[in-house]
Amino acid sequence: MSNFITEKDFMIEVIKEAASKYLCIKPSEIKKKGPFDLVTKTDTDIESFIVSKLHESYPEDAIIGEEFTPEMLVHTDRCWTIDPIDGTVNYAHGSTEYGIQCSLIVKGNIQVSVIFLPSKDETYWAIKNVGAFCNNSRIEISRITTIDDSVIYAGDFSHKNNSVRQIQIKSVDYLSSRVSKIRMVGAACIDYSSVASGKADGLISITRNPWDIYPGLLLCQEAGAIITDLNGDVYKFGASGVIIASNKDLSQELIRSLKVN
């Protein structure tokens, strides 16, 4: 039975090689991908590079890439997700809050995740039932137990669905008087790695995009976080969003924030 160390090492090497070849301080060929969304040549170059390496080493595996195959479903025995630049808008605006992230799903279970934050030279990775790590040092969730001391990350406000946006606004308003800080950085790689490494205490993300959430889900799970869907039930693929928290009390408060009338 595979322990997936080979796949983890492979993906870290490929991601770092892609970053060294294509990442630049000032991105070129910035284009509108849709309303409120951008794509750069760097996004497509990195994804194409990673895809080519996957085809060479794992030709039978399926691939979900944000830029080229976003419509594909995780229906095969083995499937990789690729987010070539998570936080493209940040990157295009000169912010360092972005990263490259990938995951491997095997028979419906996330087995490997890798998140590389170039500006911090931090490589986060996790293997199911092995643990979560940053640059080969084990990481774990925070030990903060009180709501009013907690730092909470929130995913981007929806531009496509007004009802979802209103839920997000009410949630942030509810939490604003109950937690220490609320942060919205516009990059899932930052959100999830911050919770997994104890720099933040919780996260609410309302999205189904597998390239956004799958790498961080395993990382946080292996770091000891509580992970549920937006109703507080066990998270399952295809859920409309995810709540991640460092403890049960905080998890319940985050769930409650989404049910404010």
Side-chain angles (χ1 to χ4, degrees):
M1 180 179 293
S2 172
N3 57 15
F4 299 105
I5 292 175
T6 300
E7 286 90 340
K8 181 267 294 183
D9 290 343
F10 165 82
M11 187 48 65
I12 289 175
E13 180 180 350
V14 169
I15 285 176
K16 288 190 173 183
E17 186 177 356
S20 68
K21 287 173 69 71
Y22 298 110
L23 271 180
C24 52
I25 296 174
K26 293 183 179 180
S28 61
E29 299 184 31
I30 302 172
K31 300 177 181 179
K32 291 280 286 185
K33 188 165 66 173
F36 311 106
D37 202 3
L38 301 176
V39 65
T40 72
K41 188 173 184 298
T42 309
D43 290 85
T44 55
D45 284 345
I46 289 177
E47 184 167 320
S48 295
F49 180 82
I50 295 175
V51 167
S52 70
K53 292 294 185 179
L54 282 170
H55 284 327
E56 289 175 9
S57 297
Y58 300 99
E60 301 301 318
D61 291 2
I63 300 170
I64 301 175
E66 179 180 6
E67 305 307 332
F68 297 126
T69 55
E71 75 287 349
M72 209 170 169
L73 298 177
V74 185
H75 65 279
T76 57
D77 284 348
R78 287 170 53 104
C79 182
W80 297 83
T81 69
I82 305 171
D83 195 341
I85 297 185
D86 178 57
T88 297
V89 173
N90 292 349
Y91 173 63
H93 283 76
S95 168
T96 59
E97 301 295 321
Y98 65 88
I100 304 171
Q101 54 180 17
C102 297
S103 68
L104 172 63
I105 299 97
V106 180
K107 295 182 178 179
N109 293 295
I110 309 169
Q111 296 289 349
V112 179
S113 69
V114 175
I115 298 174
F116 178 51
L117 306 183
S119 65
K120 306 175 188 296
D121 194 25
E122 292 179 344
T123 303
Y124 291 88
W125 61 270
I127 299 176
K128 189 174 179 63
N129 297 325
V130 172
F133 300 82
C134 177
N135 295 342
N136 294 320
S137 295
R138 188 178 288 273
I139 58 174
E140 60 181 23
I141 57 174
S142 80
R143 298 182 182 277
I144 288 176
T145 58
T146 54
I147 300 299
D148 56 357
D149 288 331
S150 64
V151 174
I152 303 302
Y153 278 64
D156 295 336
F157 288 131
S158 175
H159 286 110
K160 297 179 180 179
N161 189 316
N162 183 62
S163 62
V164 169
R165 184 167 63 254
Q166 293 306 313
I167 291 172
Q168 293 172 295
I169 291 170
K170 290 178 180 179
S171 170
V172 168
D173 181 60
Y174 175 88
L175 292 171
S176 64
S177 62
R178 291 169 170 81
V179 303
S180 177
K181 300 289 182 182
I182 299 176
R183 293 174 179 159
M184 184 180 290
V185 299
C189 59
I190 304 294
D191 297 343
Y192 286 88
S193 63
S194 295
V195 176
S197 58
K199 301 182 185 73
D201 309 294
L203 163 67
I204 299 175
S205 178
I206 304 181
T207 181
R208 289 187 174 93
N209 296 337
W211 53 84
D212 280 330
I213 61 179
Y214 290 178
L217 281 177
L218 180 62
L219 187 73
C220 289
Q221 181 181 54
E222 290 296 313
I226 296 173
I227 300 175
T228 74
D229 65 16
L230 303 183
N231 293 317
D233 298 322
V234 175
Y235 178 86
K236 296 179 181 178
F237 286 156
S240 58
V242 62
I243 293 175
I244 299 179
S246 59
N247 61 72
K248 184 176 180 180
D249 289 341
L250 183 53
S251 178
Q252 292 302 311
E253 196 72 10
L254 297 182
I255 294 166
R256 194 174 295 115
S257 77
L258 293 172
K259 299 179 179 180
V260 177
N261 295 322

